[in-house]
Amino acid sequence: MIRPPFFCLQLLLVPFLCMEVVTAQSLDQNAKNTAFDIVIADGTVLDGSGLASFKADVGLRGDTIAAMGDLSDFPRSRTIDAAKLFVAPGFVDMHNHSDQTLLDEPRCESMIRQGVTTMVLGEGHSMGPVKAGSQPWTTLGGYFKHIEKQGVATNICSYVGQSQIWTYVKGYELEPATDTQLEAMKQEVALAMQDGAWGLSTSLMTPPADLVTTEQLIELAKVARTYGGIYSTHTRNEGEEALKAYAEAITVGKGANIKVDLIHLKISHKDHWGRMPEVMALIEEARADGYDIQAHVYPYTAGQDNLRSIIPPWAHDGGVKDMLERLQTPDLYTRIRKDVLQGLPGWYNHYLATGSWEGMLLVSLSDPRNKPFVGKRMSELIASRGGNDPVKVLFDVLIEEGGSVPTVFFHHTEPDMQLAMKQSFTSIGSDGSAISPDGPRSGIHPHPRWYGTFPRVLGRYVRELGVLKLPEAIHKMTGLNAQKIGIRDRGFLRVGYKADVTIFDPAEVIDLATYENPHKYPIGIPYVVVNGEIVLDNGQHTGALPGKVLRGPGYRNKH
């Protein structure tokens, strides 16, 4: 470990843009008498840059990192003893689905306890724009103000979702967008960027938004680029046509001259496992040509979607209600059944990708006859109903559950995932939501990434397997994500940056959540600070809600 020389100690004595580098000895008595609110003492600092660790105290004043160095002689209101701990920037979750859950679980327990201090929301579906009456707001900016009034434990920021824009403008009918509708969508992207969105995000595997063309995506992304945003994309296909889908994302990046982040990079089809090197080559070629193509991963070999994703796209025309009617129409049964079992050209079929009903774990069920199968495999539910016609059981369960059964799909491999994780351009995102074991969602059976993503990287993939070095892993969780989205005052432990800090024990940190028992908090992260306030104090949530809404570079304060 490297301890910085005494003359390199940085103390914030002037505003951020006018920082000075001074020594403790040069401070006058008045400065020495100015107490820090918190001093994190004698910790080993990983500053988020990916460089080697060093020993230093970290002094926090208000919501800002005010000093780093030997602060032993300085007064403070609170000392956190970090002598056996590592001190890192708060983790920035590049891909988070807490848009809805933080409304009734603002403590964000499962994320705070992972060390997450900033959540990036809005994949495909964002919280605005929405039709009047469906929410207490109508715009993404209105959602932000709602959260600011309510309070939240972590910082949040959000993309504007292409799916949200698409259905807001033209509904759920499976019809291409007209030129007039595209112009209306571009206007909505512009308004959301002015409200503080950080870019445009897609979820192109989901009808009806999958009808958008590459050319239309380029036009929408150009609007986001105008306001300094990025393009974050869940591509059309992660299986048989994954390479084609990733190539399309790169084409959008080139066409719009916009930074691209590929959402949870993976190859999710049993017949195409092992092709990750081809994906890497595709990305590296674009990067060599000067295009900023990046990605993120989660440290698991299963994803989460909905059981209705097994229903072919054409059957979703008009939305969930119309889909359910088709499942109950005898004349359509044979056609839908054939498409489920055999697939369609260009459609990512979760059943074929997973390879079996056993590869599906049911997350949430509400009908009394189905509730006993929460956390069980779809194959078990099918067997309970005789097992003779699995597709008929699929239809029946979707009808009984109102068209929605969140499901974990086991569909990709460790070698592919680890190869993606090791790339310099990949960071970490959970694809999870902030919940708690005793909260309103205690009865669901979520993916363990909701509780364990970041500790799992540190415990399993750094300490146990050595896939990543510790400074590299911290960079992928902090500085790399902040730089990628464009957050300029977080993601690093630097004087003048905001005081988001995660303190962990490198010998102990690990996830405890499993597919069988997902509602388990991790261990080894005793302290988390958000905007200078301690939210996790020696393993206990303080109840503090100091999170802020972080608005993007295109934000226009309209009031």
Side-chain angles (χ1 to χ4, degrees), residues 101 104-110 434-446 450-451 519 521:
T101 66
D104 55 8
E105 298 202 51
R107 290 162 59 104
C108 301
E109 293 259 11
S110 67
I435 61 171
S436 59
D438 55 356
R441 293 165 186 82
S442 60
I444 71 170
H445 197 96
W450 292 28
Y451 284 85
H519 288 285
Y521 291 133

Side-chain angles (χ1 to χ4, degrees), residues 384-411:
S384 75
R385 300 195 182 191
N388 297 322
D389 190 346
V391 178
K392 177 65 165 54
V393 176
L394 168 69
F395 292 0
D396 289 345
V397 170
L398 284 173
I399 292 166
E400 292 157 8
E401 297 294 328
S404 180
V405 181
T407 303
V408 170
F409 294 90
F410 294 84
H411 52 32

Side-chain angles (χ1 to χ4, degrees), residues 14-220:
V14 288
F16 174 51
L17 295 178
C18 304
M19 283 192 301
E20 295 178 347
V21 178
V22 297
T23 69
Q25 290 175 332
S26 70
L27 294 174
D28 62 28
Q29 191 60 42
N30 288 334
K32 284 195 172 185
N33 289 336
T34 302
F36 295 107
D37 294 313
I38 300 170
V39 170
I40 302 166
D42 202 27
T44 301
V45 174
L46 286 162
D47 67 3
S49 67
L51 297 177
S53 61
F54 56 88
K55 293 290 288 186
D57 302 328
V58 180
L60 312 182
R61 189 174 295 130
D63 66 355
T64 302
I65 299 171
M68 294 176 65
D70 183 357
L71 306 177
S72 55
D73 292 337
F74 290 77
R76 75 288 306 271
S77 299
R78 168 77 186 270
T79 298
I80 296 175
D81 181 4
K84 297 180 180 180
L85 304 173
F86 275 59
V87 183
F91 302 154
V92 179
D93 188 352
M94 196 65 192
H95 181 194
N96 193 287
H97 287 285
S98 300
D99 315 54
Q100 188 72 40
T101 66
L102 61 80
L103 294 173
D104 55 8
E105 298 202 51
R107 290 162 59 104
C108 301
E109 293 259 11
S110 67
M111 290 295 153
I112 283 290
R113 292 173 182 271
Q114 293 188 55
V116 172
T117 60
T118 297
M119 305 188 300
V120 183
L121 312 175
E123 183 226 323
H125 291 281
S126 53
M127 296 301 278
V130 296
K131 301 296 185 182
S134 63
Q135 296 283 3
W137 58 84
T138 57
T139 64
L140 190 58
Y143 171 72
F144 290 157
K145 291 177 181 178
H146 182 90
I147 297 303
E148 287 176 325
K149 182 177 180 180
Q150 167 196 282
V152 63
T154 73
N155 304 307
I156 67 161
C157 51
S158 181
Y159 302 114
V160 58
Q162 177 263 334
S163 300
Q164 195 72 29
I165 295 293
W166 183 277
T167 54
Y168 179 79
V169 169
K170 66 181 304 299
Y172 290 89
E173 291 73 23
L174 296 186
E175 295 290 339
T178 65
D179 290 345
T180 299
Q181 288 171 332
L182 180 62
E183 288 303 313
M185 293 178 194
K186 290 166 65 175
Q187 181 62 28
E188 291 300 332
V189 172
L191 291 173
M193 295 300 295
Q194 292 171 21
D195 278 344
W198 288 84
L200 175 71
S201 181
T202 71
S203 185
L204 298 176
M205 289 169 59
T206 306
D210 61 335
L211 293 173
V212 67
T213 67
T214 305
E215 293 73 21
Q216 289 170 337
L217 286 172
I218 290 171
E219 291 303 306
L220 294 173

Side-chain angles (χ1 to χ4, degrees), residues 288-518:
D289 289 340
Y291 296 98
D292 194 347
I293 311 298
Q294 301 186 52
H296 64 259
V297 297
Y298 51 71
Y300 299 89
T301 56
Q304 184 170 322
D305 205 298
N306 200 290
L307 208 58
R308 68 169 177 259
S309 66
I310 301 173
I311 304 301
W314 63 265
H316 291 263
D317 190 7
V320 172
K321 180 175 179 293
D322 290 350
M323 178 200 72
L324 293 177
E325 290 181 2
R326 292 185 182 95
L327 297 184
Q328 300 173 77
T329 303
D331 292 345
L332 295 177
Y333 176 83
T334 301
R335 180 184 174 188
I336 298 175
R337 186 178 190 278
K338 178 182 177 183
D339 290 348
V340 168
L341 296 176
Q342 299 181 15
L344 291 169
W347 170 42
Y348 178 72
N349 182 330
H350 275 81
Y351 168 70
L352 295 178
T354 303
S356 70
W357 301 106
E358 187 178 4
M360 306 173 194
L361 186 151
L362 303 173
V363 169
S364 178
L365 296 158
S366 57
D367 190 283
R369 81 196 91 174
N370 298 326
K371 273 192 172 184
F373 294 94
V374 171
K376 305 293 185 181
R377 303 298 176 119
M378 183 62 178
S379 56
E380 297 177 78
L381 195 157
I382 291 169
S384 75
R385 300 195 182 191
N388 297 322
D389 190 346
V391 178
K392 177 65 165 54
V393 176
L394 168 69
F395 292 0
D396 289 345
V397 170
L398 284 173
I399 292 166
E400 292 157 8
E401 297 294 328
S404 180
V405 181
T407 303
V408 170
F409 294 90
F410 294 84
H411 52 32
H412 57 293
T413 69
E414 277 282 333
D416 280 344
M417 186 270 287
Q418 290 185 24
L419 178 61
M421 181 186 289
K422 289 190 290 188
Q423 304 307 306
S424 63
F425 54 79
T426 53
S427 62
I428 304 300
S430 75
D431 201 8
S433 298
I435 61 171
S436 59
D438 55 356
R441 293 165 186 82
S442 60
I444 71 170
H445 197 96
H447 195 296
R449 65 193 178 199
W450 292 28
Y451 284 85
T453 294
F454 293 88
R456 182 173 177 82
V457 171
L458 296 174
R460 176 169 173 78
Y461 291 97
V462 173
R463 186 178 64 242
E464 295 177 358
L465 299 181
V467 175
L468 300 174
K469 301 294 185 183
L470 184 54
E472 177 187 17
I474 293 298
H475 177 58
K476 288 175 177 289
M477 298 176 176
T478 59
L480 183 56
N481 278 336
Q483 289 176 326
K484 183 188 301 186
I485 196 171
I487 301 172
R488 296 186 177 185
D489 58 355
R490 300 173 199 267
F492 297 90
L493 290 183
R494 293 175 179 168
V495 173
Y497 274 52
K498 295 302 181 183
D500 295 343
V501 187
T502 292
I503 305 172
F504 66 95
D505 183 341
E508 183 182 52
V509 62
I510 194 70
D511 60 310
L512 298 181
T514 65
Y515 293 108
E516 295 73 26
N517 188 7

Side-chain angles (χ1 to χ4, degrees), residues 217-223 225-226 231 250-259:
L217 286 172
I218 290 171
E219 291 303 306
L220 294 173
K222 283 180 179 178
V223 179
R225 174 67 180 84
T226 299
Y231 177 63
I250 293 170
T251 297
V252 173
K254 292 178 177 180
N257 190 28
I258 194 171
K259 182 186 296 186

